[in-house]
Amino acid sequence: MAVPARTCGASWPGPVRTARPWPGRGPRPFPDPRGPASGPARPLLLLLPPLLLLPLLTAPGASAYSFPQQHTMQYWARRLEQEIDGVMRIFGGVQQLREIYKDNRNLFEVQENEPQKLVEKVAGDIESLLDRKVQALKRLADAAENFQKSHRWQDNIKEEDIMYYDAKADAELDDPEGEDVERGSKTSTLRLDFMEDPNFKNKVNYSYTAVQIPTDIYKGSTVILNELNWTEALENVFIENRRQDPTLLWQVFGSATGVTRYYPATPWRAPKKIDLYDVRRRPWYIQGASSPKDMVIIVDVSGSVSGLTLKLMKTSVCEMLDTLSDDDYVNVASFNEKAQPVSCFTHLVQANVRNKKVFKEAVQGMVAKGTTGYKAGFEYAFDQLQNSNITRANCNKMIMMFTDGGEDRVQDVFEKYNWPNRTVRVFTFSVGQHNYDVTPLQWMACTNKGYYFEIPSIGAIRINTQEYLDVLGRPMVLAGKEAKQVQWTNVYEDALGLGLVVTGTLPVFNLTQDGPGEKKNQLILGVMGIDVALNDIKRLTPNYTLGANGYVFAIDLNGYVLLHPNLKPQTTNFREPVTLDFLDAELEDENKEEIRRSMIDGNKGHKQIRTLVKSLDERYIDEVIRNYTWVPIRSTNYSLGLVLPPYSTFYLQANLSDQILQVKYFEFLLPSSFESEGHVFIAPREYCKDLNASDNNTEFLKNFIELMEKVTPDSKQCNNFLLHNLILDTGITQQLVERVWRDQDLNTYSLLAVFAATDGGITRVFPNKAAEDWTENPEPFNASFYRRSLDNHGYVFKPPHQDSLLRPLELENDTVGVLVSTAVELSLGRRTLRPAVVGVKLDLEAWAEKFKVLASNRTHQDQPQKCGPSSHCEMDCEVNNEDLLCVLIDDGGFLVLSNQNHQWDQVGRFFSEVDANLMLALYNNSFYTRKESYDYQAACAPQPPGNLGAAPRGVFVPTIADFLNLAWWTSAAAWSLFQQLLYGLIYHSWFQADPAEAEGSPETRESSCVMKQTQYYFGSVNASYNAIIDCGNCSRLFHAQRLTNTNLLFVVAEKPLCSQCEAGRLLQKETHSDGPEQCELVQRPRYRRGPHICFDYNATEDTSDCGRGASFPPSLGVLVSLQLMLLLGLPPRPQPQVHSFASSRRL
């Protein structure tokens, strides 16, 4: 069919149409273009050695040529398939490697992975590990309760009476701003020596504990000194625990007063700015100190709320949200005459990181107006808590009201919704400086089993938004031993540098009796915790027997992963847990939802599924078969799963008992053998305890050889399985060199290298000089080509990775190549496995020229077809490359080869960046399918600060008009600002930065963010297909066909003549995102279960202590001295800080 003349006129009105099928036809399957089998294919280049040097012919005239017929392009595809297959048969050595394995059958055994037995064993090992920590926890909690019970309170205790190691002392002594005056002058701080300990990744002292006290707590107060006094006795228990279990890591007691005592002692990791660490806000403390919560926060936004007070309320709500964990549910509403949610959430939602972020952003938009209507606010809150049609915690129920004051007690609301059972606790917060009567707020809290707090300034927010946890802890304390149950946390970042950990927690209760009536104390003393590093749990899982694509994972009751190969947060914030859902760690589908639900419910199970997986480099999607097996880990909230591909059911275990053979094979690891046998990269595994690790593989190999000269592969300090398999694979790959590679001329076939990689950890690259340009990971299990080859049949092409933001490839010295690899499938009896991957590295330029010849009308050694002015010919990819575009694209949509010389430096780029119009047509015609997902573990560069030159954040700044207005100076706002200044100077908090700033410099730290990932993979079309891309008066014909036994798509298309055809561009690169719409996600929450225990009620609870609203003011002398300092311009000296709730914590 001749090509009609094309013009570049105006496009048709309406949207651009793409990928219209060939006139009169839809997609049609075609018979196998290869025809009947006729023996092994021979590479075409054998017949055409000089083809690469032939000159190209220019088409004499477009009218003499027509677009290639369908059968012609099928013929080209068949030639390409045969050429690839021929080269791989000769150089890949798949069949020869199979024979080598069979010839050495006596040197290895075939072992079986039995999923059920494996997963049960690992679950049992993890249970035993955690149980040892539980026993240590119980000893600590019991000892703490006894020590505190026998302790005698001292009213006159002084700082010099207590000797302890202040973990922050060293950092404070070095403080360039001189803030160490008050602290450094005391003699109670011990000075210790430390030694480096790799288990803690830190310098430690095993003879002492360390103490950390929050910055905003005065360490010289009577409460704190008594706390330090009785907790000192814990030191001996910590030491004894370690003696019984040397694997113990941090042992920590977090006190309800804010004191943290931990063992072993180590200096505190002080941040670059203000240290805002408070143990009571750590995820493990919150989880251990109270049962799950259903919380509704209501905020008074009536017109009486001044600018500063409203700001204090917004900050208070954000701080309150930070006291919630993923086991809790929350909603936030504002009220005046009416109540309404501040965000798009219309009901209680899980207090996870992303939902809390939505609340925090929405709270900033609150505006004060109207009149106060407590009734509207409380009715809304009670309606929220009574909604039983949603997922929620179903334990502690509470309302937190922030207001500047009011007279209405709304008793009728409480009578209707909460009395007489009082199942909902009410906490009231009087915010700002005002002259309102606070009696109604106190009454609301006291008659509803809650507590009343005052927040006069920003310095009081952190303390008073977390003290409610003590009230929630009362039923736990009164429940006694029933509530003494160990809970295990989500994964989070250890504040002392241990990395990702989980913590076992156990509450510590006050066992003292109050008064002559022997009334039981109902205060929680704190929470005891013991850390377990994730790496210690990973060591209990099988590593290399599961193959490159097998793995173990574990999840908790929220569906968050405890273990998973994809749990790799790029940056961590120790203030928040690392919460990666199992369905976000993998590509979500219905089968995985069922598996996740079953695991959360604590069931056993096994299921084989067909699913999608991302490649290691996250550029490709493969459809694979996986076997999932799972069991619960007893005595914990975790469930363990095992994932195995069918080909990993069996694995090889070397049996090199012949020491002479060991030595012979070992010699092929020596660099002196590389010139003749090819370069060997060894996987950087932990073969022996004394082996020094190195990121440089040459150095690692040197360290390995030096160690092997001192020990044998059977040494007890070495992993015999890893060593024997490594040495066996060294010998087997050397035999491949000897039988196949050494006698072949790679240049004749335009190959830069041949290679083989094995499960045993060997990657052999031949010839030796090719190793200089080898960029693949030396650990085969971490190499994308290796893992993809195991999951795909046939030949997997991998072009060099190119980022669209980087410069194009530089084609110099013929070093740029395209990897082609395939798995070696070995059948031994009825057992099938894939122990190795082999492949070649194509010379990009030479194969691009060869590609033109194979997709041309010349046959064998004929000259390129010539077409005179009067004759009629079909275009081909060689002669007509000015009019015809011919490309090979891989299954991810990345360019592999092109007949266009100017596109050679774009090989490896997503094809939409090369020809957006054609890629869009391929996608619209189902040659490609798109998969979008979100990466919740990404790290992004910090955004430039937008408030340079502004006043300190969190402070109300009056306008010039305010200063000129006499009425303003007599208003509550002016007095509030003045009080804010005084409180800030006294409590040293007015000038503190926000938490995000205080924990590190935003100019240098990356922050966690969400990235949207898009991958493409082959769609449903699996045959030859012709189509026309219609762009109005400008159209393009194209033909596309999958190449059999490869991951390639062969595309032939007319080159575009008109700009109108550049209609759309598919995007593949990762982009910054806010993630899926949270308002929609909460309407279909993922399945979860809360903790099995709940303590929210006890009939004997004494609710008379419900807040007095009186804080301890600084002395008159302090205020006078501050005024003088302000007048004289002198910097204020830090003063002791106290808070209202401390009075109830006499121990």
Side-chain angles (χ1 to χ4, degrees), residues 84 148 559 879 931 999 1043:
I84 294 167
Q148 191 275 335
V879 174
K931 182 67 177 180
E999 288 162 12
L1043 295 189

Side-chain angles (χ1 to χ4, degrees), residues 212-272:
Q212 190 272 352
I213 301 174
T215 303
D216 54 353
I217 292 180
Y218 175 47
K219 64 177 64 176
S221 71
T222 304
V223 171
I224 298 301
L225 293 177
N226 275 277
E227 189 85 5
L228 293 173
N229 192 16
W230 76 260
T231 57
E232 182 182 3
L234 289 172
E235 197 165 88
N236 292 331
V237 187
F238 286 140
I239 293 173
E240 177 60 21
N241 271 346
R242 181 177 179 271
R243 188 191 67 78
Q244 295 187 31
D245 181 5
T247 66
L248 281 176
L249 297 175
W250 300 121
Q251 303 175 64
V252 187
F253 174 60
S255 168
T257 62
V259 172
T260 304
R261 187 179 285 272
Y262 60 89
Y263 175 85
T266 190
W268 189 250
R269 288 195 166 195
K272 295 180 179 179

Side-chain angles (χ1 to χ4, degrees), residues 268-269 271 275-278 281-283 492-496 572-577 999 1005:
W268 189 250
R269 288 195 166 195
D275 178 20
L276 295 180
Y277 181 94
D278 189 322
R281 288 181 170 267
R282 298 294 282 144
Y492 69 95
E493 176 80 4
D494 174 47
L496 290 172
T572 51
N573 178 356
F574 78 83
R575 300 179 74 239
E576 296 175 348
E999 288 162 12
R1005 284 192 58 179

Side-chain angles (χ1 to χ4, degrees), residues 159 178-186 218-220 1133-1134:
E159 284 190 74
E179 294 186 3
D180 58 304
V181 176
E182 173 252 336
R183 306 178 190 272
S185 61
K186 303 299 179 183
Y218 175 47
K219 64 177 64 176
R1133 177 189 178 94

Side-chain angles (χ1 to χ4, degrees), residues 2 29 62 82 111 291 325 355 388 431 464 488 495 533 541 563 698 765 776 850 873 929 941 998 1049 1073 1134:
Q82 291 173 346
Q111 302 291 347
S291 293
S325 71
N355 286 341
S388 59
V431 183
N464 289 322
W488 290 96
T541 64
L563 297 175
T698 301
V765 179
E776 303 302 319
K850 183 191 296 190
C873 305
T929 300
L1049 182 69
S1073 171

Side-chain angles (χ1 to χ4, degrees), residues 84-104:
I84 294 167
D85 184 69
V87 169
M88 287 299 290
R89 283 179 182 272
I90 293 173
F91 285 96
V94 173
Q95 185 58 39
Q96 294 90 332
L97 194 53
R98 287 197 193 106
E99 294 172 358
I100 292 171
Y101 273 110
K102 291 178 181 179
D103 291 345
N104 292 275

Side-chain angles (χ1 to χ4, degrees), residues 376-390:
F378 277 107
E379 285 184 339
Y380 177 89
F382 280 114
D383 287 341
Q384 289 279 298
L385 292 171
Q386 289 183 352
N387 184 358
S388 59
N389 297 323
I390 59 170

Side-chain angles (χ1 to χ4, degrees), residues 603-710:
N603 300 324
K604 294 183 179 181
H606 175 83
K607 190 180 184 69
Q608 184 178 87
I609 66 173
R610 181 176 291 276
T611 186
L612 299 178
V613 298
K614 289 182 189 176
S615 64
L616 197 63
D617 56 13
E618 298 183 328
R619 286 159 59 87
Y620 299 92
I621 295 285
D622 290 312
E623 186 176 12
V624 300
I625 295 176
R626 294 287 189 264
N627 293 305
Y628 282 74
T629 308
W630 60 94
V631 297
I633 303 175
R634 293 188 297 271
S635 303
T636 73
N637 295 330
Y638 304 131
S639 185
L640 187 76
L642 171 66
V643 181
L644 271 182
Y647 54 79
S648 291
T649 303
F650 300 97
Y651 63 93
L652 300 184
Q653 181 171 349
N655 182 20
L656 291 177
S657 56
D658 187 343
Q659 294 187 359
I660 297 177
L661 193 61
Q662 288 181 13
V663 174
K664 177 184 175 182
Y665 285 177
F666 178 76
E667 289 178 350
F668 297 126
L669 283 174
L670 302 178
S672 58
S673 69
F674 290 176
E675 196 59 40
S676 60
E677 311 300 331
H679 193 99
V680 175
F681 297 92
I682 67 170
R685 300 174 181 176
E686 194 174 342
Y687 299 102
C688 298
K689 292 180 181 178
D690 295 334
L691 177 59
N692 294 324
S694 174
D695 293 333
N696 183 296
N697 200 257
T698 301
E699 184 177 343
F700 181 74
L701 178 60
K702 178 184 176 183
N703 296 340
F704 176 80
I705 292 172
E706 289 176 353
L707 183 62
M708 287 297 100
E709 291 174 350
K710 302 175 185 177

